[in-house]
Amino acid sequence: MNLKKPVRVRFAPSPTGRFHIGGARTALYNYLLAQQTGGQFILRIEDTDRKRFDPSAEQELASSLRWLGLDWDEGPDKGGPYGPYRQSERADIYLKYINILLEKGLAYYCFCSPERLARVRHQQQKLKKPPRYDDHCRDLSPIDAKERVNAGESYVVRFKTPKQGKTTAVDLLRGPITVDNSTLDDYILLKSNGLPVYHLAAMVDDHLMKITHVLRGSEWLPTFPLHVLIYQAFGWEQPTWVHLSVFLNPSGKGKLSKRFAIDPKSGARSVYVLDLKQTGYLPEAVNNWIALMGWSYDDHTEIFSMDELIEKFSLEKLNPSPAAVNYSKLDHFDGIYIRSLQLDDLTHRILPFFKSAGLPVDETTLSRITPLIQERIRTLEDAVEIAGFFFNETVEPDPEQLIGKNMTAADSAQAARQASEVIASLPGFENDAVEKSLRNLADEMKIKAGQLFGVLRIAITGQRVSPPLIESMQIIGKDEVLHRIEQAVAILNRQI
Ligand code: GLU
């Protein structure tokens, strides 16, 4: 079902560390919804936790989102009608709303010292009771409390959670979740440093920023009833709440680690978006991959371009069950997207990988190589592994590898020597002529063409796996090809 009404959705990361695929998926789903309905996608930086604040995180998440093509309509750098979009710049707004709750008697000042709270917690643990605030300041007279605040005493502000009744919080995917209010804590809303916690700041912002749908991680399910109570305390209309599935390790056991995932097939793999970029994945493949970690269109379609995702995405088809991260799938998608790229596009995308490998790459040569490797690479980085040798002045073939299959060093040397003579005697260097003459030579020598090509491949490329040999020879050039074969003959001769 396509939502007809334009949504206002937000991605609200806390800049506390590197940007990973979990965040990317939340951002993607929000983006898709906004695009699909002609709504707005807002980037809000939730940086009120100053202890965990990491100054480089905002930069990294912005570059990651841009690389994925998940551009936002309103945000700290872009502005917009409901800014500022960085919570640390909204402290006075939160204070205003804290005061509203205090005046309504729905929040209260708490002066308990950390030491007292630790003692209470300790006592509760001993009695095997759930750790909870013991209401010490809950019923202080507001006038007395205000006097203590004015006198400079340190305080926090707590939510006055109703003692009676039940709260029902409705998640679009999970239906109503009802809890007894007596099981809820009097959560802190405003910390002693004057900054609000997530529970207050995010609710105020979502309301003021006119957010219609909140798509967020399911780590917020336990405090979801509190969020609903905060909305009710202000008398605001709630957004549609959607808590996304949890990512599991590739093994399917345990929550995905923040730093890396251990894939039984390929070892440790990074969960950070910019690492995926650096190791040569295409943003198209990453988006497709993460889109399917918690959403499916039907039971068989796997490839979705961004336009198709925008058209087909729907909240109803989100799956709340935990999803294991599968890197083989990502490799598979990346290969598919690489093969679907126009050659020019692929050349432009692999170029930086050759540069960062320190190779003296030039675009003209690279554009001749691209068609030879497009079918053979899974990531852009693979291109360097398979085709980096084109830009090396020399190759250093492994002497043992130069010896052909079921051949001796002497046979191999002879085959290489004769190949070099045959090639040298050709008037030109056209593919067909080179291939034909080498095949004839193999026949004459009573060896298989594969054996001869095997020796020449190592001699010319230095690698067992390379792009098609004859075409590669064209790029390297006749003189250099002859030179490399002669070098191989010399290496082989030393092994006789
Ligand atoms: N800042 C919160 C986080 O990073 C945002 C949760 C939300 O989207 O409401 O988890």
Side-chain angles (χ1 to χ4, degrees), residues 22 50 52-53 160 166 212 250 331-332 345 367 374 426:
R50 304 312 285 178
R52 291 175 60 220
F53 179 72
K160 202 168 197 173
K166 292 176 193 293
T212 58
D331 291 339
H332 169 68
D345 188 1
S367 65
Q374 184 169 33
L426 289 173

Side-chain angles (χ1 to χ4, degrees), residues 22-309:
R25 183 192 57 174
T26 306
L28 173 67
Y29 289 168
N30 276 295
Y31 173 83
L32 294 177
L33 216 50
Q35 292 292 316
Q36 183 179 79
T37 61
Q40 286 89 39
F41 174 50
I42 292 132
L43 176 64
R44 184 173 74 220
I45 302 295
E46 302 207 327
D47 57 350
T48 58
D49 187 347
R50 304 312 285 178
K51 277 200 209 108
R52 291 175 60 220
F53 179 72
D54 171 354
S56 61
E58 187 176 327
Q59 187 55 45
E60 176 161 343
L61 77 90
S63 345
S64 305
L65 291 176
R66 285 206 187 90
W67 178 67
L68 291 169
L70 308 179
D71 208 1
W72 49 97
D73 303 298
E74 299 166 28
D77 55 335
K78 294 209 163 136
Y82 304 97
Y85 293 90
R86 214 178 262 117
Q87 287 188 330
S88 57
E89 293 166 19
R90 298 171 64 82
D92 47 345
I93 301 177
Y94 305 127
L95 276 185
K96 177 176 152 203
Y97 285 92
I98 287 281
N99 282 329
I100 293 176
L101 291 181
L102 284 166
E103 273 158 31
K104 285 184 164 189
L106 298 173
Y108 61 91
Y109 293 107
C110 167
F111 303 94
C112 293
S113 66
E115 294 75 26
R116 177 175 186 280
L117 294 174
R119 276 199 309 276
V120 170
R121 209 170 311 124
H122 185 70
Q123 199 60 27
Q124 287 167 338
Q125 268 163 5
K126 259 184 28 197
L127 299 171
K128 298 220 169 0
K129 284 187 170 172
R132 203 166 293 155
Y133 183 59
D134 68 348
D135 294 348
H136 190 73
C137 298
R138 184 172 164 115
D139 296 316
L140 290 178
S141 106
I143 297 171
D144 291 352
K146 191 81 207 164
E147 265 174 26
R148 288 169 71 174
V149 167
N150 290 342
E153 205 172 324
S154 172
Y155 66 90
V156 299
V157 174
R158 287 182 185 272
F159 189 61
K160 202 168 197 173
T161 307
K163 291 278 179 205
Q164 266 95 45
K166 292 176 193 293
T167 297
T168 297
V170 182
D171 172 85
L172 187 75
L173 309 179
R174 295 164 179 82
I177 302 166
T178 301
V179 295
D180 276 326
N181 291 337
S182 61
T183 64
L184 300 173
D185 208 349
D186 278 3
Y187 294 90
I188 292 176
L189 299 181
L190 189 76
K191 292 178 285 187
S192 55
N193 63 3
L195 286 176
V197 297
Y198 167 80
H199 310 306
L200 187 277
M203 301 313 118
V204 168
D205 288 348
D206 286 344
H207 170 72
L208 294 179
M209 295 179 182
K210 300 202 164 27
I211 300 302
T212 58
H213 293 70
V214 169
L215 275 66
R216 61 181 184 178
S218 48
E219 67 268 28
W220 298 109
L221 277 171
T223 42
F224 182 22
L226 166 70
H227 304 147
V228 168
L229 282 169
I230 292 176
Y231 264 87
Q232 288 172 355
F234 285 114
W236 296 334
E237 193 188 331
Q238 290 179 54
T240 299
W241 303 94
V242 186
H243 295 86
L244 303 172
S245 62
V246 175
F247 282 169
L248 302 178
N249 276 312
S251 64
K253 288 192 203 103
K255 226 177 124 189
L256 183 66
S257 133
K258 276 260 181 227
R259 265 171 303 169
F260 55 80
I262 300 292
D263 191 313
K265 294 204 192 86
S266 53
R269 305 284 294 258
S270 177
V271 300
Y272 299 125
V273 172
L274 286 191
D275 287 354
L276 297 179
K277 174 184 179 200
Q278 255 145 35
T279 45
Y281 290 99
L282 304 186
E284 293 92 327
V286 175
N287 279 324
N288 196 149
W289 181 53
I290 57 181
L292 293 177
M293 288 198 255
W295 172 82
S296 57
Y297 178 63
D298 52 27
D299 59 4
H300 59 277
T301 315
E302 279 204 323
I303 299 298
F304 296 91
S305 65
M306 187 58 99
D307 285 346
E308 286 165 337
L309 286 175

